[in-house]
Amino acid sequence: MRLVALGAGVALQRNQWKREGATDVTVREIIQTHPQPTSLDRAVLIQCVTECSDCADSCTSCADADLAEPDVEDLVRCIRLCLDCSDLCTTTGRIVTRQTAADVGVFRAAVEGCATGCRECGDECERHASHHEHCRLCAESCRRCEEACRAVLAALG
Amino acid sequence: MRLVALGAGVALQRNQWKREGATDVTVREIIQTHPQPTSLDRAVLIQCVTECSDCADSCTSCADADLAEPDVEDLVRCIRLCLDCSDLCTTTGRIVTRQTAADVGVFRAAVEGCATGCRECGDECERHASHHEHCRLCAESCRRCEEACRAVLAALG
Amino acid sequence: MRLVALGAGVALQRNQWKREGATDVTVREIIQTHPQPTSLDRAVLIQCVTECSDCADSCTSCADADLAEPDVEDLVRCIRLCLDCSDLCTTTGRIVTRQTAADVGVFRAAVEGCATGCRECGDECERHASHHEHCRLCAESCRRCEEACRAVLAALG
Amino acid sequence: MRLVALGAGVALQRNQWKREGATDVTVREIIQTHPQPTSLDRAVLIQCVTECSDCADSCTSCADADLAEPDVEDLVRCIRLCLDCSDLCTTTGRIVTRQTAADVGVFRAAVEGCATGCRECGDECERHASHHEHCRLCAESCRRCEEACRAVLAALG
């Protein structure tokens, strides 16, 4: 059975959620209760974790919106890069979250891969930003995540 | 090379992040720009997506903190359920995010699986809540996610 | 930079790999070295793990091939269900692999969700089997995985 | 409800599965039906996909077996690296599988990250290989996956 699609006419009160209270706060707190935290600046680490999570979700959602657009054929590269970026952000968010017995080589390689994925996906989404609002929003999320990854790499030295 | 662990004496300004501005807002907005949205109540859907994301991160972080505790042997079931719950929340968050050509049977089955994972993981974390703050926080995140899943199931009818 | 696409004229020696030696054998062996195995029939469990892994890969690959087809617009539902099914199989494969402190409720819910995902995805792929070989192959993989999940559910009683 | 653990006395007919027929063959075939394949050597690509899949499963299974060992405290780093490696292999396997509109920068970064994860996890598992058979097997799987990743990087030039 399929869920009914309502069509494009419906309900785009886009800013309805924008000013809501903080979310995704739990992982920030949990990270701070770790019994053996790493030496990495905690604020930088937490920023990276939350941006990875946001960007993973944004890319999943943008790929899905692309798929429902009438010009889906022009969005094939966008879909593909969003799928890759979502996978990279999910995995990197997990690795950065883990503080126990961290290996700096693995940590760095994961964050570098994620920064690359976010850069390319952000570039591609930006190409469609003027005609697809979801691409514009997703590009912003990719930029923020890339920046958070770069901050982690800078902190690693 | 390993990242240096600082030990338990360091920096637990636990509420430092608590009152920060909203995060993870991008996916909420992107979901609302979908060209062919499903008939499901948008607020219920978005709540489920953001709670899945938060709970996935919380469970990854709690399993990792458990692993660094001196009583790790008593936390084996907690680690295992947190790993399962994180995987279930990640997958379910993705499926609930996708609105294109949704299949209600798959949608329901994923959300039911996630609710079950959150319930069991929440129960287990609660058992350790009095002596491990990360377990207390993670249990709360599991409860909220289970509730958000139940709200989706109720909305599906 | 993009990888060059060779186009459809190239090299479809489709059966080249078919009779190769066994692969993915490591997880089978590792599962059998578990110090505290569950009471579940080991052969049934291992079959489910390997089919989940195969089906996750098949669905990722089929969604990707769909995306490059000239009739991509007719394959939107197939892409969407393949993405869901791949995520479900990845998560369920992990949960079924884990034998430590297993929770039968979580285990069952994950396997049920996976069976549902495989059934719907298999049905959809089958609709395109006559004109897309990747859909025919993916449908077969979904059927085998659904069957392996049902065998686990039967073994659970 | 928990699944009953049978204890270490049970049934380690370890080689029972070893010579079974080929598995995970579907993704190999599907990759070869892609309508717009990349210029990358297909055998190298398929080897990487199947080793990523095998290594992801091995690491999930090894982390889980570690968790049930009496000397779990000595296996904390092994568990952590297995979790990271499993996540990296899952994501990289997906990215390498996808041939549509591939971006060579993202592709390379993912494969490099995976090779690093496999190397470190393989080194750590090897440290425990003499007293834990699952670590020995998992180390082998990591080595094979690292090698397959290096072959992809060499083919990229």
Side-chain angles (χ1 to χ4, degrees):
Chain A
M1 190 167 61
R2 305 184 190 192
L3 277 174
V4 181
L6 292 184
V10 172
L12 301 186
Q13 297 109 313
R14 203 162 291 165
N15 297 316
Q16 180 183 349
W17 289 94
K18 238 180 174 167
R19 289 173 207 294
E20 278 242 322
T23 57
D24 204 22
V25 90
T26 319
V27 70
R28 292 174 173 187
E29 292 184 85
I30 295 178
I31 283 175
Q32 299 194 70
T33 66
H34 197 284
Q36 299 179 49
T38 63
S39 56
L40 215 84
D41 184 293
R42 208 79 62 86
V44 169
L45 186 146
I46 288 172
Q47 190 66 19
C48 186
V49 167
T50 53
E51 293 297 353
C52 279
S53 192
D54 184 47
C55 192
D57 292 351
S58 296
C59 288
T60 295
S61 193
C62 185
D64 175 67
D66 285 344
L67 209 52
E69 292 289 357
D71 63 336
V72 58
E73 285 177 57
D74 298 331
L75 295 166
V76 164
R77 191 165 189 262
C78 191
I79 294 171
R80 195 259 148 90
L81 282 169
C82 278
L83 294 177
D84 286 2
C85 194
S86 179
D87 288 336
L88 285 165
C89 289
T90 299
T91 281
T92 303
R94 286 174 167 216
I95 290 172
V96 175
T97 297
R98 293 180 190 126
Q99 299 186 82
T100 303
D103 180 278
V104 77
V106 177
F107 194 96
R108 191 195 307 274
V111 176
E112 280 172 350
C114 192
T116 302
C118 290
R119 189 189 61 218
E120 295 304 320
C121 188
D123 284 355
E124 181 65 24
C125 283
E126 220 166 76
R127 276 180 204 115
H128 311 285
S130 63
H131 47 289
H132 292 305
E133 178 67 0
H134 48 82
C135 291
R136 192 188 65 72
L137 291 162
C138 190
E140 279 182 15
S141 185
C142 291
R143 298 315 186 196
R144 283 198 310 272
C145 191
E146 185 190 353
E147 198 183 334
C149 288
R150 304 267 177 233
V152 162
L153 294 171
L156 282 176
Chain B
M1 191 167 60
R2 306 186 190 189
L3 279 174
V4 181
L6 291 185
V10 173
L12 302 186
Q13 298 109 313
R14 205 163 288 164
N15 297 315
Q16 180 182 349
W17 288 94
K18 238 179 175 168
R19 287 171 208 292
E20 278 243 320
T23 57
D24 204 21
V25 91
T26 319
V27 69
R28 292 173 173 187
E29 292 183 85
I30 295 179
I31 283 175
Q32 300 194 70
T33 66
H34 196 285
Q36 299 179 50
T38 61
S39 55
L40 214 84
D41 183 292
R42 208 77 63 86
V44 169
L45 184 146
I46 288 171
Q47 190 65 19
C48 185
V49 168
T50 53
E51 293 297 352
C52 279
S53 194
D54 183 47
C55 192
D57 292 351
S58 296
C59 287
T60 295
S61 194
C62 185
D64 176 67
D66 286 343
L67 210 51
E69 293 289 357
D71 62 336
V72 59
E73 285 176 57
D74 298 331
L75 295 166
V76 164
R77 190 164 190 261
C78 190
I79 294 171
R80 195 261 149 89
L81 282 169
C82 278
L83 295 177
D84 286 2
C85 194
S86 180
D87 288 336
L88 285 166
C89 288
T90 299
T91 282
T92 304
R94 287 173 166 216
I95 290 172
V96 174
T97 296
R98 294 179 189 127
Q99 298 186 82
T100 303
D103 182 277
V104 77
V106 177
F107 193 96
R108 191 196 306 274
V111 176
E112 279 172 351
C114 193
T116 303
C118 289
R119 189 190 60 217
E120 295 303 322
C121 189
D123 283 355
E124 182 65 24
C125 283
E126 222 167 76
R127 273 178 208 117
H128 311 284
S130 62
H131 46 292
H132 293 307
E133 179 68 0
H134 48 82
C135 292
R136 192 189 65 73
L137 291 162
C138 190
E140 280 182 14
S141 186
C142 291
R143 297 315 184 196
R144 283 198 309 273
C145 191
E146 186 191 351
E147 197 183 338
C149 288
R150 303 267 177 232
V152 162
L153 295 171
L156 282 177
Chain C
M1 191 167 60
R2 306 186 190 190
L3 278 174
V4 181
L6 292 184
V10 171
L12 301 186
Q13 297 112 312
R14 203 162 290 164
N15 298 314
Q16 181 182 348
W17 288 95
K18 236 181 176 167
R19 288 172 207 293
E20 277 243 324
T23 57
D24 204 22
V25 91
T26 319
V27 70
R28 292 174 174 187
E29 291 185 85
I30 295 178
I31 283 175
Q32 300 194 69
T33 67
H34 196 285
Q36 298 178 49
T38 61
S39 56
L40 215 83
D41 182 294
R42 208 77 63 86
V44 169
L45 185 146
I46 287 172
Q47 190 66 19
C48 185
V49 168
T50 54
E51 293 298 353
C52 279
S53 192
D54 183 47
C55 192
D57 291 351
S58 296
C59 287
T60 294
S61 193
C62 185
D64 176 66
D66 285 344
L67 210 51
E69 293 289 358
D71 62 336
V72 59
E73 284 176 58
D74 298 332
L75 295 165
V76 164
R77 190 164 190 262
C78 190
I79 294 171
R80 194 261 148 90
L81 282 170
C82 278
L83 295 177
D84 287 1
C85 194
S86 179
D87 288 337
L88 285 166
C89 288
T90 299
T91 282
T92 304
R94 286 174 167 216
I95 290 172
V96 175
T97 296
R98 294 179 190 126
Q99 298 186 80
T100 303
D103 180 280
V104 77
V106 177
F107 193 96
R108 190 195 308 272
V111 176
E112 279 171 351
C114 193
T116 303
C118 290
R119 189 189 60 217
E120 294 305 320
C121 188
D123 284 356
E124 181 64 26
C125 283
E126 221 166 76
R127 274 177 206 117
H128 310 284
S130 62
H131 46 291
H132 292 306
E133 179 68 0
H134 48 81
C135 291
R136 191 189 66 74
L137 291 162
C138 191
E140 279 182 14
S141 186
C142 290
R143 297 316 185 195
R144 282 198 310 273
C145 191
E146 185 191 351
E147 197 183 336
C149 288
R150 303 268 177 232
V152 163
L153 294 172
L156 281 177
Chain D
M1 191 168 60
R2 306 185 189 191
L3 278 174
V4 181
L6 291 185
V10 172
L12 300 185
Q13 297 111 312
R14 202 163 291 164
N15 297 314
Q16 179 183 351
W17 288 93
K18 236 180 176 168
R19 287 171 208 295
E20 277 243 321
T23 57
D24 203 21
V25 91
T26 320
V27 70
R28 293 174 172 185
E29 291 184 86
I30 294 178
I31 283 175
Q32 299 194 69
T33 66
H34 197 284
Q36 298 179 50
T38 62
S39 56
L40 214 84
D41 184 293
R42 208 77 62 87
V44 169
L45 185 146
I46 288 172
Q47 190 66 19
C48 186
V49 168
T50 53
E51 293 297 353
C52 279
S53 191
D54 183 45
C55 193
D57 292 351
S58 296
C59 288
T60 295
S61 193
C62 186
D64 175 67
D66 285 345
L67 210 51
E69 293 288 359
D71 63 336
V72 59
E73 285 176 57
D74 298 331
L75 295 166
V76 163
R77 191 165 190 261
C78 191
I79 294 171
R80 195 259 148 91
L81 283 169
C82 279
L83 295 177
D84 286 2
C85 194
S86 179
D87 288 337
L88 285 165
C89 289
T90 299
T91 281
T92 303
R94 286 174 167 216
I95 290 172
V96 174
T97 297
R98 293 179 189 127
Q99 299 186 82
T100 303
D103 180 278
V104 76
V106 177
F107 194 95
R108 191 195 306 274
V111 176
E112 279 172 352
C114 193
T116 303
C118 290
R119 189 189 60 217
E120 295 304 320
C121 189
D123 283 355
E124 181 64 25
C125 283
E126 220 166 77
R127 275 179 206 116
H128 310 285
S130 63
H131 47 291
H132 292 305
E133 178 68 2
H134 47 82
C135 291
R136 193 189 65 73
L137 291 162
C138 190
E140 280 183 14
S141 186
C142 290
R143 297 315 185 196
R144 282 198 311 272
C145 190
E146 185 191 353
E147 197 183 337
C149 288
R150 303 268 177 231
V152 163
L153 294 171
L156 283 176

